[in-house]
Amino acid sequence: DLELLRNGEVLGTAKVGTETSTMSLPEIEIAPGRTTWELRSSTLPTSPGHGDDRLLNFAVYGLEVRIAP
C-alpha cells in the first residue's frame, strides 16, 4: 500500500501494483505555517531490473496539486 501523510496523519491509501492507478483526495484545508507531506510504502523495495540496480518501492507520474484561494 501507498500512504499519503500530512504532518504524520494518513490522509489516503492506494494499492501499489505493477499497473498504474489513480489516487484522488477530497479538498484538504491546510492551516497556515509549515506542512510536511510524505508518501510512504509498506512494500519492500525491488530492482526494476534490466541493468538498473536501484531499489524502488513505487513511482509517481503526473502529480497534480491544485491550490484554491
Side-chain angles (χ1 to χ4, degrees):
D1 290 351
L2 178 66
E3 297 176 323
L4 172 65
L5 296 90
R6 177 190 59 197
N7 296 330
E9 174 191 3
V10 177
L11 298 178
T13 303
K15 292 288 183 193
V16 175
T18 57
E19 302 294 322
T20 58
S21 63
T22 301
M23 179 182 190
S24 297
L25 297 171
E27 189 173 297
I28 299 169
E29 196 168 314
I30 301 173
R34 183 183 176 116
T35 300
T36 302
W37 296 94
E38 179 182 356
L39 290 171
R40 182 168 56 196
S41 175
S42 61
T43 62
L44 294 175
T46 60
S47 171
H50 308 289
D52 187 342
D53 295 332
R54 297 175 297 159
L55 296 178
L56 306 172
N57 289 77
F58 58 89
V60 176
Y61 301 97
L63 177 65
E64 184 176 328
V65 177
R66 297 180 188 175
I67 308 294

